Amino acid sequence: MTKMQESSKQRPGISLEFFLPFRISDLFRISNFGFRALLLCCIAGTLALAASARAHEARPAYLEIKETTSGKFSVLWRTPVLAGMRLPLVLKIPDDVKNLNAPVVQELADSLVERRSIDAGPNGLAAKRIEFAGLQLTITDVLVRVEMLDGRKWTAIARPSQPWIEVAASQSWWEVMGTYIVEGIRHILFGADHMLFVLGLLLIVKNRWMLLKTVTAFTVAHSITLAIATLGYAEAPVLPLNAAIALSILFLGPEIVRSWRGQTSFTIQHPWVVAFAFGLLHGFGFASALTSAGLPRSELPLALVSFNVGVEFGQLGFIALVLALEGSFRVLEIRWPRWAQALPGYTVGSLGAFWTIQRVAMMIAG
């Protein structure tokens, strides 16, 4: 045996496996739990693509129209500002409605507010169409509230699929409630960072009883802060809040990897405690959809309850979808490589890190 051969035998060198969270041979190994991990990883990737850098574009714009005298109205038009940029939305009133004064624009930290007065003529705004140019290019909504001189109130939501509304003559309270329930569902489903946090909790929870405790804790926590923030008893600055929500996702990444490796921690043993603690933060995030609109206090209780019901419907629907997909493929006995179990933890952690860095940078720059 030559000296070169002996040296090669004694010093095998560092292989590619040294840098990977799995062995190359694991690529060809079958695991009973691989599909669950791969499924959740695919969902996480989908949420990431949907969110990109605009995870909070679901915060709605707001249009408030109040009749001051017969046929004349004051108009408040609020559009969200994201990463220092105003959403490309333009308010278009009917051609036969006249502006009584030039719009006055006020710049706030998280939005631009435009005020004006209009004259809709003797017939008012009933059955007239108000359009929102550019709304179809976004994933946000416009919450519209109209208050007549005789006390009648009307609430509606314009969406990208229908970027306009027609003012109705009257509206019942249950129609208003339905409007806010739908808005709550859309807010949670389009809030990719909230969904990614729930997905991270699903990866840590080990059994159905713990899942129930964890989901309940998250629900109670975000309901508390959603209520106190919407009713005006507390508030959280938007930029630090968004950074903290991203940090909550980053926190779950290493915990998911520990769970995959069979290790334990306080979070893995008591995920409901972590869900409650971070749920308080996420509740302030949910509240932004209502507090940014500036609704009158008289309408807040109905809006709060209805919106929270919508958030719960959306959250439970997402969890049910994940569990149903997991269960259906388990019945089919589809199995995937063991290395796939590592991907969700790294995906959740990477997205959390990206959003944390991005939002901290925005906070420093702003």
Side-chain angles (χ1 to χ4, degrees), residues 79-101:
T79 54
V81 173
L82 302 168
M85 298 179 61
R86 179 179 182 176
L87 285 182
L89 303 181
V90 178
L91 174 64
K92 297 181 65 175
I93 59 177
D95 293 335
D96 58 346
V97 175
K98 300 177 182 179
N99 283 317
L100 296 178
N101 62 284

Side-chain angles (χ1 to χ4, degrees), residues 29-30 116 134 138 170-171 194 247 250 270 289 295 303 316 321 331 339 364:
R29 187 175 300 172
I30 299 299
R116 71 173 88 175
T138 72
S170 61
Q171 189 179 45
H194 299 303
L247 190 61
L250 173 60
H270 308 284
L295 293 172
L316 293 176
L321 175 63
V331 170
W339 61 268
I364 295 174

Side-chain angles (χ1 to χ4, degrees), residues 58-132:
R59 187 156 50 94
Y62 177 63
L63 174 64
E64 181 181 85
I65 302 176
K66 290 184 177 181
E67 189 173 21
T68 52
T69 58
S70 181
K72 294 182 174 61
F73 300 82
S74 65
V75 177
L76 183 148
W77 169 233
R78 183 192 299 262
T79 54
V81 173
L82 302 168
M85 298 179 61
R86 179 179 182 176
L87 285 182
L89 303 181
V90 178
L91 174 64
K92 297 181 65 175
I93 59 177
D95 293 335
D96 58 346
V97 175
K98 300 177 182 179
N99 283 317
L100 296 178
N101 62 284
V104 178
V105 179
Q106 178 184 8
E107 294 187 12
L108 302 178
D110 61 345
S111 60
L112 289 179
V113 178
E114 178 183 301
R115 291 180 171 86
R116 71 173 88 175
S117 296
I118 60 174
D119 184 353
N123 296 325
L125 291 173
K128 292 184 178 180
R129 177 176 293 191
I130 299 174
E131 300 180 4
F132 305 95

Side-chain angles (χ1 to χ4, degrees), residues 28-306:
F28 308 100
R29 187 175 300 172
I30 299 299
S31 169
N32 290 328
F33 305 101
F35 177 74
R36 177 174 183 262
L38 188 60
L39 169 66
L40 298 183
C41 186
C42 290
I43 295 175
T46 302
L47 291 174
L49 291 175
S52 184
R54 309 180 80 173
H56 272 281
E57 191 174 326
R59 187 156 50 94
Y62 177 63
L63 174 64
E64 181 181 85
I65 302 176
K66 290 184 177 181
E67 189 173 21
T68 52
T69 58
S70 181
K72 294 182 174 61
F73 300 82
S74 65
V75 177
L76 183 148
W77 169 233
R78 183 192 299 262
T79 54
V81 173
L82 302 168
M85 298 179 61
R86 179 179 182 176
L87 285 182
L89 303 181
V90 178
L91 174 64
K92 297 181 65 175
I93 59 177
D95 293 335
D96 58 346
V97 175
K98 300 177 182 179
N99 283 317
L100 296 178
N101 62 284
V104 178
V105 179
Q106 178 184 8
E107 294 187 12
L108 302 178
D110 61 345
S111 60
L112 289 179
V113 178
E114 178 183 301
R115 291 180 171 86
R116 71 173 88 175
S117 296
I118 60 174
D119 184 353
N123 296 325
L125 291 173
K128 292 184 178 180
R129 177 176 293 191
I130 299 174
E131 300 180 4
F132 305 95
L135 182 62
Q136 66 274 16
L137 304 177
T138 72
I139 62 168
T140 193
D141 302 326
V142 179
L143 176 62
V144 182
R145 180 179 175 275
V146 180
E147 184 175 336
M148 302 300 182
L149 194 61
D150 58 7
R152 287 178 294 131
K153 299 174 183 178
W154 183 81
T155 303
I157 294 179
R159 300 187 175 88
S161 59
Q162 182 180 302
W164 51 268
I165 56 99
E166 286 186 356
V167 181
S170 61
Q171 189 179 45
S172 62
W173 70 268
W174 59 267
E175 289 176 313
V176 176
M177 185 174 184
T179 298
Y180 286 113
I181 288 177
V182 172
E183 181 62 17
I185 294 174
R186 289 177 58 84
H187 185 80
I188 185 69
L189 294 183
F190 284 99
D193 43 6
H194 299 303
M195 288 289 89
L196 199 60
F197 181 80
V198 174
L199 185 61
L201 292 175
L202 288 176
L203 286 164
I204 294 176
V205 171
K206 299 298 184 182
N207 55 66
R208 297 298 172 88
W209 169 240
M210 188 59 72
L211 173 64
L212 178 62
K213 288 175 61 177
T214 302
V215 172
T216 301
F218 185 66
T219 297
V220 171
H222 74 62
S223 296
I224 292 173
T225 46
L226 171 60
I228 64 174
T230 301
L231 296 175
Y233 295 110
E235 63 178 344
V238 174
L239 293 179
L241 173 63
N242 289 344
I245 290 174
L247 190 61
S248 71
I249 300 170
L250 173 60
F251 173 84
L252 289 181
E255 298 298 326
I256 297 169
V257 175
R258 289 191 186 97
S259 177
W260 168 70
R261 291 175 175 171
Q263 300 173 356
T264 188
S265 67
F266 181 85
T267 300
I268 295 172
Q269 292 180 338
H270 308 284
W272 65 272
V273 177
V274 175
F276 184 87
F278 285 124
L280 296 173
L281 281 177
H282 286 254
F284 282 110
F286 295 146
S288 65
L290 295 178
T291 56
S292 63
L295 293 172
R297 291 193 66 87
S298 60
E299 292 192 10
L300 284 179
L302 179 61
L304 172 62
V305 172
S306 305

